[in-house]
Structures are given as structure tokens and as C-alpha cells.
Amino acid sequence: MTQIDRRGFLMGSAAGAAGLVMLGGLAAPARAAGGPLTVGVLIPGSKSDKGWMESGYDGLMAAEKKFGAKIKVKYIENVKFGDMEQVLVALAGKNELVIGVGGQTQASVFKVAPRFPKVKFAIIGGNADAAKPGNVSGYDVRQAEIGFVAGAAAAMLSKTGAVSYVGGLEIPAIVNTGKEFGKGALYINPKIKYIENYTGDFDDVAKAKEATLAAIAQGADIHYHILNLGLRGMEQAAREKGTHIIGSYTDRCGTDPLYVAYTITGVGFQVEYAIEHAVAGDWKPEFKPFGLAMGPKSSDIVICTGATAAMKAKLDEIKKDLLSGKIKVLDA
């Protein structure tokens, strides 16, 4: 795997002694017979954020392990919104499949994709949009759905009768997840206190800490989030005040006692899905919702500590009711 810096230069072993090689905006080169599928990946945030971005990066690593020499991957992380179009052009000029790890890449992908009609584009966290170009797939993680389950778990785990949620940008997918988290908590305990805050930035550690401390001051002892590096602030607040977190995206139970549970939202699973189908030759431009319907690698919840048989049974019942439509949630 090759990392690329934000200016679009190859870095690491692939560059080697030859130095830096500028990526261009020309049509993606045809694959040599029997050659590897070339994949370019834009990771807007840090691949070490314990969140969405790291889950996407984990999916890349899993794909490399699975497909070996059948794929050749380049990725670039920490890309600001204003730079995404330029980075996507660079990646599309050298790769057959380009993946944007996050719904915030969608607008830029929609601009760039028509310029590279022979390149396949996939958006992890994309939503249904009639303007979607014909060479683009959007994969919906359905965060609000598993958010409802997380809210139910939080209500069962809370000792104070108060739970909280901190989101980053106040956009529909993030707000809907917060709403469903609150509904899930109320589904279990109609008297529970629910505190909801948004920092306006997925990576602002100070604001996330401030929002979590404010919730703790109102009694919250279990916190859920849709944050990236901002999660560090939530961790600081919870550690200082002795409260706990339900983590997002990936099961990391046992790595930090702050976390009593994790939701799985399948970001890495979707990265693998796009690569797998491109390798197999049956990739197609589509809008595809994932969520609980695609199985536990796509969406689930894992209780790390304190789970009773009754709690597990109730969460399984809720998941079944979500799948059947008995419980309806907002799309996200």
C-alpha cells in the first residue's frame, strides 16, 4: 500500500529511490493482462482516529490481505473539503477504482466522475441522489438504524437514567443518528434524560470535551458519538468524570475500559465490498443501503461489559423489529 501526501505526490516504498512522482489528471491507464486492480482511496480525516476513517483504513488493510497481488492500493488522508476535487482528479488519473471514505466526499466525486467515465467511483456513506453520475456507487451505512440500537443499549447500561450524544457536523445523517439514539433510549426507558449536542466539527477535541462535560453535568453517564478525532475530547471528559462511552464503527472491546459497548457501522466492510466486486469484474454503479440487512459485519452492536442475557435478548428483539419494519427509523 502506498500513502500519498496532500499535494498528490507518491510517498513511501512505491516511490523508492526514484523520488516523488506527480499524479496527473489523465484517463486511468488500462490494466495489463493479469495485472493488479489499481485502487485510489481518499480518507478525509486521520486513519488513526478510532472512528470512521480508521474503520475505512482497516477495510483497506483487510482487502490487501485478502486479495494480495491482485490489487495495488494508494491512499491519501487528512484532506480538507476544498482540496478534495484536486485529490480525486489525481487519484482518478492513475487508478481504475477510486473510493471516497465519507459522505463529505460526495459533492466532489459528483464533479470529478464525469471527467473520468472509464473510472469506477464509490462513496462510503453516500446517499441516494438523482444527480449521481453513471460511474458512481453510493453505499449507505444506515447510521441512524444502529443508532437506535445504541440508544437502547445506553438506556440499559446507564446507572443515572441519563445518556448523551455528541455529533460533529449538524447535517442530516448525523442529526438523524442523534434523534434515533434518543428514541432508542426512550424505547427502553420513557423517563430517561437525553442530552444531544453538536460541535460543528468532527475533529475538534476541545469542543467535544466541552459538550461531553456539559452532558455529564446534567447527569449523563453513557455517551454515544459520531466524531472522528474529536472523540479524544469525549474520552478526556469521560475519564475525568468516571463515565463511559459506546464507541462507533468498529468492535474494539477490551482495548479501553472507558468503552462499555461498540456499534459496528461497516465502513471498512463497504470499502472491502467495493474492491471485491471490482476485482471480480461485477462492480456496478448503484445506490446500496447496508445496515442490519447486510449482516453483522455491516451493522451490529457489541456489549463489552455488563451485558445480561435479558439485555442481549432485548437488543436482538429490537434488531429483528428494525429489520421487519415494526420499528421504523429515519434514513441516514
Side-chain angles (χ1 to χ4, degrees):
M1 184 184 294
T2 303
Q3 184 177 6
I4 309 172
D5 79 2
R6 278 172 283 186
R7 296 166 297 171
F9 292 102
L10 292 180
M11 300 293 288
S13 60
L20 302 175
V21 182
M22 182 62 131
L23 293 179
L26 303 176
R31 195 189 325 175
L37 172 79
T38 54
V39 183
V41 182
L42 189 162
I43 302 175
S46 167
K47 64 181 176 63
S48 304
D49 66 354
K50 287 189 178 180
W52 180 289
M53 306 301 163
E54 187 165 344
S55 178
Y57 179 72
D58 288 346
L60 275 184
M61 291 194 293
E64 278 208 319
K65 183 177 181 180
K66 181 175 183 179
F67 295 109
K70 292 182 179 180
I71 64 173
K72 184 177 181 181
V73 175
K74 303 179 182 73
Y75 73 91
I76 177 169
E77 63 176 323
N78 293 314
V79 182
K80 295 183 182 299
F81 182 81
D83 296 328
M84 287 183 186
E85 188 173 341
Q86 181 182 357
V87 170
L88 287 166
V89 167
L91 291 172
K94 292 290 185 179
N95 296 284
E96 299 165 74
L97 172 66
V98 174
I99 302 173
V101 183
Q104 62 266 56
T105 68
Q106 180 161 302
S108 298
V109 168
F110 279 18
K111 288 181 181 178
V112 172
R115 297 165 58 184
F116 296 87
K118 294 184 179 180
V119 177
K120 302 173 181 68
F121 291 83
I123 303 165
I124 311 303
N127 55 41
D129 192 321
K132 183 179 75 64
N135 57 333
V136 175
S137 282
Y139 304 142
D140 178 12
V141 300
R142 294 191 54 78
Q143 292 181 100
E145 181 183 64
I146 198 63
F148 185 98
V149 183
M156 288 188 276
L157 290 165
S158 175
K159 293 180 171 61
T160 63
V163 299
S164 74
Y165 170 80
V166 179
L169 290 177
E170 204 165 346
I171 57 178
I174 310 306
V175 172
N176 288 350
T177 302
K179 287 179 179 178
E180 295 302 340
F181 176 80
K183 289 178 185 177
L186 289 165
Y187 186 83
I188 296 297
N189 177 6
K191 295 183 179 180
I192 201 160
K193 186 175 184 179
Y194 170 54
I195 303 109
E196 182 177 323
N197 284 295
Y198 298 89
T199 64
D201 188 322
F202 293 113
D203 297 317
D204 193 314
V205 174
K207 288 183 179 178
K209 181 177 182 179
E210 180 182 351
T212 306
L213 287 172
I216 293 170
Q218 296 178 69
D221 65 339
I222 303 291
H223 320 292
Y224 189 52
H225 72 93
I226 299 295
L227 296 167
N228 293 332
L229 284 175
L231 177 58
R232 303 291 191 271
M234 179 176 279
E235 290 177 335
Q236 290 170 13
R239 193 167 279 115
E240 287 175 11
K241 300 297 183 179
T243 59
H244 292 90
I245 301 170
I246 295 178
S248 295
Y249 311 118
T250 303
D251 174 12
R252 302 185 191 280
C253 282
T255 61
D256 190 331
L258 278 180
Y259 290 84
V260 289
Y262 287 89
T263 57
I264 296 165
T265 44
V267 177
F269 177 73
Q270 291 175 44
V271 170
E272 287 186 73
Y273 179 92
I275 294 172
E276 179 178 358
H277 286 278
V279 170
D282 60 2
W283 182 96
K284 59 184 178 181
E286 60 181 335
F287 170 72
K288 187 174 183 63
F290 279 68
L292 292 168
M294 289 290 286
K297 287 185 177 180
S298 171
S299 185
D300 204 357
I301 189 164
V302 180
I303 308 299
C304 303
T305 58
T308 64
M311 182 186 298
K312 291 178 180 178
K314 186 62 177 178
L315 292 174
D316 286 343
E317 176 189 307
I318 289 170
K319 287 186 284 186
K320 288 178 182 177
D321 287 347
L322 285 163
L323 282 169
S324 72
K326 183 178 179 181
I327 298 175
K328 298 185 184 300
V329 295
L330 296 163
D331 287 330

